[in-house]
Amino acid sequence: MIKVNLNGTEVEVEKNQTILEVANKIGTYIPTLCFLKGVNETSQCRMCLVEIEGVRGFKPACATICSDQMVVNTNSESIKNAVKFNLELIAGEHTFECWNCPREEDCELLDLLRYFDIEHKYSKNRNKFTAPNSVINGCNSIVFDSGKCVLCHRCISTCNKTTKKDVISFHNRGENTIVKPVHNLNISESGCIYCGNCIQNCPVSAITESNSVNEVLNLLQNTNKKLIVQYDSRIKYFLTETVADYSENLAGLFQEVGFKHSFDLSVGEAVHDFLLNDEIVKNKTVIEASDFSIVNYLEIYNYDLLKYLSKVKSPHTLQGIFLKQHYCKDLGLNAEDTIVVSILPNVSAKAEIEREEYDYKSLKDVDYVLTFRELLRLFRRVGADVNIYDYAEQEKLENINYLKKINYFTKNQKTTTTLLGEEVAVDYIVDINTFAETFKQIDSYGYLNFNFSNSFEFYSGGQHHIKSYDLNQENVYWKNIAKINDYIADEEIEITDIEKIYKKLLNALPEKTMLYTDFQKRKILNNK
Amino acid sequence: MTLNKLTEIKNSILANKKFKKIKNDDREIRLILKNVDVIDPYSIEEYIANDGYLAAYKALTEMNRESIIEEIKKSGLRGRSGGAFPTGIKWSFSLSVEADEKYIICNADEGIPGDFIDRILLEKDPHAIVEGLIIGAIANDANKGYFYIRKEYLAAHKTIEKAIFAARKLGFLGKNIFDQGYDFDIEIRIGAGSYVCGEETALMESIEGKRGTSRAKPPFPAVRGLFGKPTCVNNVKTLASVTKIILNGAESFNKYGTENSKGTNIFSISGKVKKPGFYELPLGISIRELIFGICQGPLAGKTITSVLVGGPAGGFVSEDKWNSPLDYDLFHINRTMLGAGGIVVIDETICIVDMCLMFLEFGLEESCGKCSPCRYGTKKQIAILKSIIEGKGKPEDLEELKNLSEHILSSSLCGLGMSTSFPLLSALMNYEELFIEHLNHKCRANVCKCGENND
Ligand SMILES: Cc1cc2nc3c(=O)[nH]c(=O)nc-3n(C[C@H](O)[C@H](O)[C@H](O)COP(=O)(O)O)c2cc1C
Ligand code: SF4
Ligand code: SF4
Ligand code: FES
């Protein structure tokens, strides 16, 4: 143990702790912007500067290791001025569009500017990176906007840590420095797998999901199309976390904005598991990839494993097929006039639905994908009150119960494992870095549910709070998994009932092949 | 390779050739520049004839790591790149660090506008640097060395490449050098034309094949440097001095200079004087003597108004301080770093405010773009200074410039951001009246278009 003097208080600290860690432990606030523990420790934003006695200049608290008898000052006038100056400079280069920004006000930069009461005094020096020059929108999933970028390096480190590839990088130098896909490539050519982790970690909105809110709104308001929405159940935790007093009456909210029907994804998930089961029995070894970024990863970096990839489509696209082919008919709707919108946490799905494999006789399985925060935006755009809603009607919405039944079956089909004391409904959580090796080892088990190690964290669709990234980051992560699990547990139902429903669904399809994709084919296409 | 063999080569050359002594000025003391323009840089034999590779041989046979470092410490040598960090102390860090591999790098990225001494040494006495690198490697227990040479120095690539090749052929580099059981070899890396890549951490990123941006320190290179291994980075002039110190002993070096700044330094003088050029002189010589004595004063009919010491990382020294000695303590008097020894002499035809702008633009252009104070702050400084130069300045702008400079200086991540404000700060400190004149639409040197009806 060594002793450090922090703002006049003696603190006992362990060796190799940073000043930031010590300050966090005793509850002293030090602002940070670029720092993400274990991910980005480049100390380049200079927000966390502190004064150390006997040391010339200021030092970054996030990277400076405490030494014995160090005397640290975090709140002197000169430090406060340095932080303010820095924020004024950063603000002077930022394109403020908070009213139409995907952050929905939950923004790390905005929080800092508020906290330090920053004057926007350099606003007259216009930022040269303003839209549309700054926006790179070369794919269906991810958009770069350097007008918002604070050049914190988080996305680059994140990309490197998740995929072990360097898809994003700094370009140019000095005032022209800008973050883009490597070698000035378009996003779709850069080797990006659309996992979305960079979006998750960006403190502002310089990397975001591509925006589909306007198109969906337009369809809702200006056309005769019938819109059906299907949502990942984790949206509830997202709304609970972002919106105080969230009413839990999602179906009501959807109705209010003009969706004709709303479902969760249990039908798709059940069918997915049925089909996957068949596949496992037949092929013994299957990589299940509901998250499309895994398909991308294999296609780009791991060709030889493609043959193990499950050919069953992902739950939301499967359910999309059923909604158009079966449910529509039941309701007397025309499939061509029906638009299916999925509400999902992963941006990769935006690219997924545009692929030709998800198209049957020019009828798309799913027409639009919105992330969770895009949905919140949609609600706010039309003035739907997310907070207070009369939810007496809720029980009447028959489709919720109808779908819940199948959900139980889903659970029984899955093997559960215990991770850090929590039951989790996946067989393995595999880190992308050790993916190939792990895969070889567990080959004999026959069934691999492959997940990016932190894709659970992504349930909020690119949105996170400053709090989630304090030093307890890992705890938040495991808590989220636990939450997801709770939801899946439900009352008991007769299995025979579900089988009946399932058979009925299958019989309604024009062709059974539309439930499958073949990415082997895609690989050859790519090669051309 | 034995001592006899070295003497043999020496004698065979001396039998046919007599080496003359060259000086640009009688007051010069040529320790480091001794071979420059005297020997053929492509001939290792001629270098050996001038006691070449004797120091490296001595370091390997008569000395050990501790005694080499002790000798360098005793000589008082401080890094000649501008940082002025005592070389002996830098080397002694490596004594306590354990690692399976250690590196030493010769920093030949000389990027400071107006500096050219490294180039002269690289092109005209390459073996002295190679030898210095060998001695440094022994002292730092490194088995691999790098030359990081700036792209534009095409001739230097050639001389160094040839020198390494010749040294390898004679067994001074490679496995079992000088037959003493020590392995050391050198690789050349060419920069891509970036000033910040002269900063040691950016330089290492560049050698690793990455984007040349500075890393945060700590960890210091001595602990985690190139490829994550302990690394020592030294300037060309430093290494050339090391060779001479080991060859002739610490006293031959530290008898020159001042209390805190020992030895000779090579000053390169450019600008408005009669006899610009480079001169090797003891540290501590006064600015006045250098400018008016050795360089023979101003051009005909002109007066010298200021002296810029240390290039874009240095400052303007006003007339009242011209009697102070040029050494590493200059900072305390004038907030100016001696830097690498580059001195620019300014007369009334040059506008200091305009020059400040030029240096800031250089700083922004060369900023790696990593940290916000340097990247954004310099840009704001330029905007303000430009408005002053265009005659649109406001009185409060000067305060703003000072505050911005202090902020950038204290908050930047690396030496580049910390130093780009030096010229401006020193100008504001010593020549504030010039800025005020510009605010009142007047430029003494008639350089800036700050007239009232200028749009
Ligand atoms: C912006 C910047 C540029 C630099 N450029 C050079 C350079 O061109 N050549 C050099 O030798 N050192 C340069 N340095 C200093 C190096 O970082 C390093 O301190 C030096 O190579 C150490 O050598 P020394 O101990 O022999 O002085 C630069 C430093 C900074 C901050
Ligand atoms: S990133 Fe933050 S500060 Fe910037 S426009 Fe969006 S909400 Fe506003
Ligand atoms: S895009 Fe976002 S995460 Fe990446 S450097 Fe810019 S602000 Fe940081
Ligand atoms: S948080 Fe420490 S430098 Fe960015």
Side-chain angles (χ1 to χ4, degrees):
Chain A
M1 287 295 235
I2 53 175
K3 280 209 180 83
V4 172
N5 185 319
L6 195 79
N7 296 341
T9 330
E10 284 265 313
V11 199
E12 287 230 323
V13 301
E14 275 150 42
K15 269 199 171 155
N16 288 329
Q17 277 196 306
T18 63
I19 297 176
L20 183 63
E21 281 169 328
V22 175
N24 275 358
K25 210 169 76 184
I26 66 165
T28 303
Y29 174 61
I30 296 180
T32 59
L33 185 57
C34 68
F35 182 74
L36 263 192
K37 188 168 175 56
V39 179
N40 192 42
E41 304 187 352
T42 52
S43 64
Q44 63 193 87
C45 75
R46 320 306 282 174
M47 283 306 303
C48 64
L49 295 177
V50 296
E51 256 176 328
I52 302 171
E53 235 177 68
V55 175
R56 190 160 57 99
F58 304 141
K59 289 279 165 218
C62 65
T64 310
I65 305 281
C66 294
S67 60
D68 202 15
Q69 306 302 335
M70 197 183 239
V71 181
V72 183
N73 196 339
T74 71
N75 56 10
S76 67
E77 271 313 301
S78 44
I79 286 293
K80 275 189 205 146
N81 282 337
V83 171
K84 276 196 159 187
F85 242 119
N86 211 354
L87 278 172
E88 276 166 9
L89 289 172
I90 292 173
E93 292 290 316
H94 190 82
T95 311
F96 286 97
E97 294 173 330
C98 305
W99 60 93
N100 75 358
C101 176
R103 302 279 337 175
E104 293 296 335
E105 301 234 324
D106 183 4
C107 169
E108 289 187 40
L109 177 61
L110 204 53
D111 286 346
L112 283 168
L113 296 175
R114 275 201 194 102
Y115 187 94
F116 288 97
D117 193 18
I118 294 305
E119 197 189 325
H120 192 19
K121 66 177 184 195
Y122 295 116
S123 55
K124 55 182 182 287
N125 304 318
R126 282 299 297 169
N127 174 10
K128 69 202 292 180
F129 299 123
T130 36
N133 310 352
S134 63
V135 180
I136 306 174
N137 187 358
C139 72
N140 303 312
S141 297
I142 294 180
V143 180
F144 285 69
D145 180 356
S146 30
K148 305 261 167 52
C149 179
V150 298
L151 297 169
C152 67
H153 202 270
R154 278 190 191 177
C155 51
I156 298 167
S157 302
T158 307
C159 181
N160 183 282
K161 291 250 151 60
T162 352
T163 61
K164 271 275 144 70
K165 313 286 169 202
D166 294 297
V167 174
I168 321 170
S169 114
F170 275 168
H171 291 69
N172 309 340
R173 63 189 190 190
E175 61 167 330
N176 299 319
T177 310
I178 165 175
V179 167
K180 282 201 261 192
V182 278
H183 305 315
N184 291 314
L185 287 171
N186 212 327
I187 305 168
S188 54
E189 302 160 337
S190 64
C192 173
I193 58 168
Y194 309 144
C195 73
N197 282 297
C198 54
I199 302 181
Q200 174 85 354
N201 283 348
C202 179
V204 285
S205 62
I207 306 187
T208 56
E209 66 273 43
S210 61
N211 183 350
S212 309
V213 176
N214 291 344
E215 289 163 73
V216 172
L217 252 183
N218 187 32
L219 285 169
L220 280 171
Q221 292 171 342
N222 304 328
T223 64
N224 295 327
K225 304 264 188 211
K226 305 278 178 280
L227 275 80
I228 302 180
V229 64
Q230 46 176 357
Y231 55 91
D232 189 308
S233 322
R234 287 171 282 179
I235 179 79
K236 300 193 171 176
Y237 303 110
F238 168 74
L239 288 176
T240 318
E241 207 175 88
T242 30
V243 186
D245 302 329
Y246 154 66
S247 72
E248 295 210 348
N249 187 354
L250 255 182
L253 278 169
F254 283 132
Q255 254 177 12
E256 187 181 335
V257 297
F259 287 107
K260 289 290 170 266
H261 304 274
S262 61
F263 299 93
D264 67 8
L265 284 177
S266 24
V267 169
E269 274 161 13
V271 173
H272 181 258
D273 282 11
F274 267 115
L275 299 175
L276 194 67
N277 231 7
D278 290 350
E279 223 180 12
I280 294 165
V281 172
K282 235 191 319 184
N283 299 349
K284 190 165 161 292
T285 302
V286 174
I287 298 175
E288 189 251 300
S290 314
D291 183 345
F292 195 68
S293 53
I294 291 150
V295 178
N296 271 332
Y297 186 83
L298 296 182
E299 278 190 344
I300 302 174
Y301 302 110
N302 246 330
Y303 273 17
D304 45 338
L305 291 183
L306 263 181
K307 58 176 178 285
Y308 296 111
L309 187 68
S310 164
K311 294 188 172 43
V312 182
K313 287 184 179 176
S314 57
H316 83 108
T317 47
L318 286 173
Q319 184 163 315
I321 295 172
F322 286 117
L323 287 174
K324 287 196 174 178
Q325 301 294 342
H326 172 68
Y327 193 76
C328 277
K329 277 180 202 146
D330 270 10
L331 292 182
L333 295 173
N334 190 348
E336 275 76 29
D337 291 334
T338 310
I339 302 287
V340 175
V341 180
S342 295
I343 313 295
L344 293 174
N346 49 325
V347 289
S348 56
K350 284 180 179 258
E352 176 185 24
I353 59 165
E354 298 299 333
R355 294 262 299 237
E356 60 186 15
E357 290 92 339
Y358 298 86
D359 209 321
Y360 177 73
K361 295 194 176 152
S362 70
L363 197 63
K364 283 168 85 177
D365 295 354
V366 169
D367 300 278
Y368 292 97
V369 169
L370 298 182
T371 61
F372 291 169
R373 65 178 182 185
E374 278 184 283
L375 179 66
L376 182 60
R377 176 158 205 78
L378 184 87
F379 286 156
R380 286 187 173 157
R381 280 281 290 278
V382 297
D385 200 336
V386 192
N387 292 6
I388 313 145
Y389 197 84
D390 168 22
Y391 49 101
E393 293 282 293
Q394 194 182 351
E395 283 307 306
K396 285 193 202 156
L397 295 158
E398 71 324 334
N399 41 25
I400 289 190
N401 277 334
Y402 163 73
L403 296 175
K404 260 187 189 163
K405 285 175 192 155
I406 302 175
N407 206 357
Y408 176 71
F409 191 76
T410 314
K411 184 166 186 285
N412 268 3
Q413 286 293 297
K414 278 193 176 159
T415 329
T416 52
T417 38
T418 312
L419 279 166
L420 296 187
E422 310 281 4
E423 240 201 346
V424 182
V426 291
D427 288 353
Y428 292 94
I429 294 185
V430 184
D431 192 313
I432 193 99
N433 305 328
T434 51
F435 171 62
E437 281 121 77
T438 322
F439 185 78
K440 263 179 238 142
Q441 279 168 25
I442 53 181
D443 201 2
S444 53
Y445 283 85
Y447 170 42
L448 176 70
N449 186 323
F450 175 40
N451 243 307
F452 286 100
S453 53
N454 54 357
S455 65
F456 277 112
E457 221 188 319
F458 196 60
Y459 79 104
S460 61
Q463 181 113 1
H464 72 264
H465 296 254
I466 293 183
K467 279 167 273 152
S468 332
Y469 279 103
D470 65 14
L471 302 168
N472 290 325
Q473 195 192 352
E474 276 153 344
N475 292 346
V476 176
Y477 163 34
W478 290 114
K479 251 187 267 152
N480 291 342
I481 293 186
K483 272 197 230 159
I484 296 158
N485 241 20
D486 286 348
Y487 180 74
I488 293 170
D490 222 315
E491 352 82 73
E492 303 229 353
I493 320 166
E494 293 291 320
I495 294 218
T496 43
D497 281 353
I498 299 153
E499 270 190 14
K500 256 189 246 160
I501 298 168
Y502 170 62
K503 292 233 170 77
K504 195 180 151 207
L505 289 175
L506 283 190
N507 288 337
L509 293 179
E511 268 179 66
K512 254 183 96 174
T513 48
M514 63 194 296
L515 300 176
Y516 298 95
T517 58
D518 190 353
F519 292 106
Q520 298 267 20
K521 242 192 327 201
R522 184 72 195 175
K523 178 189 145 192
I524 296 159
L525 276 179
N526 270 352
N527 278 349
K528 279 185 196 161
Chain B
M1 176 66 64
T2 60
L3 196 53
N4 289 343
K5 190 92 180 283
L6 277 176
T7 334
E8 206 177 283
I9 296 175
K10 179 176 176 175
N11 291 340
S12 73
I13 293 284
L14 286 180
N16 302 321
K17 185 163 180 178
K18 203 157 163 10
F19 293 98
K20 52 187 188 311
K21 277 204 168 118
I22 289 187
K23 280 185 186 182
N24 284 346
D25 187 282
D26 286 344
R27 282 158 282 194
E28 266 199 277
I29 292 157
R30 288 214 162 178
L31 302 181
I32 319 299
L33 291 176
K34 191 172 145 257
N35 290 341
V36 168
D37 289 329
V38 173
I39 63 165
D40 172 9
Y42 288 115
S43 159
I44 191 168
E45 288 81 11
E46 289 199 7
Y47 178 68
I48 292 172
N50 285 282
D51 295 333
Y53 288 106
L54 222 52
Y57 183 79
K58 188 171 155 192
L60 262 177
T61 51
E62 292 168 29
M63 305 173 85
N64 57 19
R65 291 180 66 187
E66 285 78 7
S67 64
I68 298 173
I69 293 171
E70 202 42 51
E71 194 71 18
I72 299 295
K73 273 189 187 165
K74 221 160 53 180
S75 76
L77 174 66
R78 292 170 68 169
R80 292 293 190 243
S81 68
F85 195 84
T87 308
I89 296 181
K90 191 189 235 179
W91 288 7
S92 63
F93 292 149
S94 74
L95 284 173
S96 57
V97 185
E98 289 288 325
D100 50 354
E101 176 100 82
K102 291 182 188 173
Y103 298 107
I104 183 158
I105 301 172
C106 173
N107 187 344
D109 193 55
E110 191 164 51
I112 299 177
D115 277 12
F116 49 84
I117 302 301
D118 288 358
R119 175 178 182 175
I120 287 169
L121 287 170
L122 289 163
E123 288 179 9
K124 305 200 163 170
D125 196 12
H127 286 286
I129 310 159
V130 172
E131 191 177 357
L133 203 56
I134 296 176
I135 297 168
I138 299 164
N140 285 286
D141 195 22
N143 297 108
K144 173 125 204 199
Y146 287 90
F147 262 101
Y148 188 87
I149 308 177
R150 77 176 273 177
K151 189 180 164 199
E152 293 82 352
Y153 283 4
L154 295 172
H157 304 169
K158 223 182 247 160
T159 44
I160 292 293
E161 199 172 17
K162 287 251 162 72
I164 291 175
F165 192 73
R168 209 179 275 145
K169 215 166 156 195
L170 288 182
F172 303 158
L173 288 175
K175 290 235 172 306
N176 190 18
I177 60 173
F178 294 93
D179 293 328
Q180 301 298 324
Y182 190 80
D183 298 342
F184 178 66
D185 214 336
I186 303 177
E187 238 179 71
I188 299 181
R189 290 294 160 97
I190 310 296
S194 154
Y195 171 57
V196 78
C197 281
E199 200 279 335
E200 51 191 3
T201 56
L203 185 151
M204 292 185 297
E205 291 274 301
S206 172
I207 292 184
E208 289 175 13
K210 302 188 189 133
R211 194 183 138 84
T213 58
S214 313
R215 296 178 192 163
K217 289 190 270 190
F220 288 97
V223 180
R224 194 157 2 115
L226 188 63
F227 301 114
K229 305 288 184 198
T231 305
C232 174
V233 183
N234 278 119
N235 174 257
V236 170
K237 298 181 281 287
T238 315
L239 291 171
S241 312
V242 162
T243 308
K244 298 297 176 311
I245 292 165
I246 295 299
L247 182 67
N248 302 323
E251 287 75 25
S252 71
F253 188 80
N254 66 16
K255 70 180 176 201
Y256 303 106
T258 63
E259 177 66 28
N260 290 324
S261 316
K262 297 284 186 208
T264 57
N265 188 35
I266 306 159
F267 296 98
S268 53
I269 295 107
S270 52
K272 308 292 185 181
V273 278
K274 286 214 186 76
K275 216 180 138 210
F278 62 91
Y279 305 94
E280 183 171 353
L281 296 160
L283 281 163
I285 183 175
S286 75
I287 296 176
R288 193 176 294 279
E289 192 183 343
L290 187 67
I291 303 300
F292 291 92
I294 292 169
C295 297
Q296 298 175 5
L299 299 176
K302 302 280 193 248
T303 31
I304 293 176
T305 50
S306 182
V307 176
L308 177 85
V309 181
F316 296 94
V317 184
S318 55
E319 185 160 3
D320 51 321
K321 295 180 191 106
W322 288 353
N323 288 330
S324 49
L326 274 169
D327 62 11
Y328 297 120
D329 292 331
L330 192 64
F331 184 83
H332 301 298
I333 320 168
N334 200 45
R335 261 196 120 154
T336 301
M337 300 220 275
L338 178 53
I343 288 167
V344 181
V345 183
I346 295 161
D347 68 12
E348 71 262 37
T349 61
I350 291 174
C351 174
I352 287 178
V353 182
D354 187 52
M355 229 172 140
C356 287
L357 178 66
M358 181 198 70
F359 282 131
L360 288 180
E361 284 175 340
F362 173 77
L364 182 59
E365 165 82 29
E366 295 297 336
S367 159
C368 75
K370 189 169 176 179
C371 75
S372 33
C374 169
R375 164 178 17 99
Y376 294 150
T378 319
K379 184 173 168 186
K380 299 291 153 0
Q381 281 179 317
I382 290 174
I384 296 173
L385 199 57
K386 260 197 182 145
S387 75
I388 293 178
I389 283 178
E390 286 164 6
K392 295 173 193 144
K394 293 185 286 301
E396 61 270 25
D397 283 350
L398 297 188
E399 195 56 36
E400 179 84 38
L401 271 180
K402 259 184 231 167
N403 288 342
L404 265 171
S405 307
E406 293 289 353
H407 166 64
I408 299 166
L409 199 122
S410 56
S411 306
S412 292
L413 183 134
C414 86
L416 183 103
M418 288 177 196
S419 61
T420 35
S421 295
F422 278 158
L424 178 64
L425 265 179
S426 69
L428 280 168
M429 190 166 100
N430 295 321
Y431 300 101
E432 193 168 2
E433 71 277 6
L434 290 181
F435 289 84
I436 294 171
E437 278 176 19
H438 278 77
L439 290 180
N440 297 324
H441 311 291
K442 189 174 161 240
C443 174
R444 269 188 219 184
N446 247 331
V447 173
C448 309
K449 295 197 169 56
C450 54
E452 222 149 344
N453 35 18
N454 237 317
D455 266 312

